[in-house]
Amino acid sequence: MGAGRGFATCGRRGWQPVSSIGGETSQTLDRGLTVLSLLATHSDGLTAGELAERLSTARAVVYRLLRTLEAHRLVGRIDSRYVLGFGVAELASRLRPRLQTTVLPILRRLSQQTNSTSLVSVADGDQALVLITEEPPESTLHLAMRQGARHPLDRGADGVAILAGRPAMNDDSKDVPRARQKGYALSVGALQPGAVGVAAPIQTSDWATASIGVVQLGVKISDPNVPELVMAAAQDAARRLIGDHAADARA
């Protein structure tokens, strides 16, 4: 297993080199993770040749990666095409309870502070997936968000916030650099007429995969303090998640 800079990472519009995260990374592991990310964005699967082309590496290397991933049930095969295996779903099923334990108290506090529905969204390929929601306990009228709802990553404050937590790309929409500069994304009627959203990336690395935010009824935020509260919640979530990871590493 070689060591060096990371190989590639998945963006919403292609594959970008992994930026340094401090210290050396495993190129073999990074390629294996890239294979999984590629298969996640191709529901009909990819052949070994197609994977080799996208990774710009030899087909023999890809076959070794695929055999290893198959052994761990992370990859399956339908004829000559490779698809994500059921092992990925089993791993993912353990993520939500941990996120709930870590982030749910933050969501509840944010919902109470803003009298809004609060939510955590994660990037799933080119889509934003609403993972956890919390509705304000004392509000008589509020906007509800369905857990499991999806929408394009570059639409809605939650998805734009995730993109803003990543390195700049040449074809970022105008909303992304604006959110990157402000530290939060704001959307009005992007997903539903009469709804306004505010979200900030949960920044545990230089490649954000999640955001935390609120949605309200109206065409503007009800309180000018909402963006600051959302950014503080995102920073708190990042600190807790990084702390949990560090504790696991010590265990």
Side-chain angles (χ1 to χ4, degrees):
M1 181 177 291
R5 288 179 62 84
F7 183 69
T9 189
C10 178
R12 61 195 157 119
R13 297 175 289 264
W15 296 92
Q16 306 294 323
V18 169
S19 59
S20 174
I21 56 174
E24 293 185 335
T25 59
S26 165
Q27 187 181 65
T28 302
L29 176 58
D30 192 54
R31 281 175 172 164
L33 295 174
T34 301
V35 166
L36 294 178
S37 296
L38 278 166
L39 295 179
T41 58
H42 293 78
S43 58
D44 57 345
L46 292 167
T47 66
E50 289 169 336
L51 286 165
E53 181 180 353
R54 284 164 172 78
L55 271 69
S56 300
T57 191
R59 192 174 300 195
V61 173
V62 172
Y63 276 122
R64 288 197 295 270
L65 291 172
L66 290 170
R67 283 196 296 270
T68 302
L69 293 170
E70 277 189 283
H72 290 275
R73 301 175 59 245
L74 299 177
V75 163
R77 183 166 41 175
I78 302 175
D79 296 326
S80 62
R81 305 187 73 80
Y82 291 86
V83 296
L84 286 181
F86 289 108
V88 173
E90 292 173 1
L91 290 174
S93 68
R94 302 173 188 175
L95 172 63
R96 182 169 171 176
R98 180 165 185 172
L99 272 176
Q100 284 180 317
T101 301
T102 304
V103 179
L104 195 54
I106 301 172
L107 278 182
R108 287 175 175 163
R109 184 179 69 233
L110 182 61
S111 181
Q112 292 171 349
Q113 289 173 329
T114 62
N115 197 34
S116 312
T117 297
S118 58
L119 64 151
V120 168
S121 296
V122 296
D124 184 13
D126 289 343
Q127 295 184 318
L129 168 66
V130 178
L131 191 66
I132 310 171
T133 65
E134 184 70 19
E135 297 183 15
E138 298 179 1
S139 174
T140 56
L141 184 65
H142 60 271
L143 192 66
M145 290 291 290
R146 179 173 61 85
Q147 292 182 170
R150 296 172 179 268
H151 56 268
L153 198 57
D154 55 1
R155 286 184 57 201
D158 57 342
V160 172
I162 292 172
L163 296 174
R166 300 176 176 182
M169 299 179 70
N170 291 333
D171 56 348
D172 277 334
S173 70
K174 62 181 180 180
D175 295 328
V176 175
R178 184 184 301 134
R180 191 176 289 122
Q181 180 181 20
K182 291 184 175 181
Y184 67 92
L186 173 68
S187 66
V188 180
L191 300 175
Q192 181 174 324
V196 58
V198 181
I202 299 176
Q203 204 80 53
T204 57
S205 72
D206 62 356
W207 191 266
T209 58
S211 68
I212 190 169
V214 298
V215 290
Q216 300 179 337
L217 291 168
V219 295
K220 62 180 182 179
I221 55 176
S222 60
D223 184 337
N225 293 320
V226 168
E228 291 294 335
L229 293 170
V230 168
M231 288 189 289
Q235 292 166 5
D236 191 10
R239 282 194 296 268
R240 295 193 190 195
L241 290 169
I242 292 171
D244 285 351
H245 179 73
D248 284 348
R250 291 192 298 268

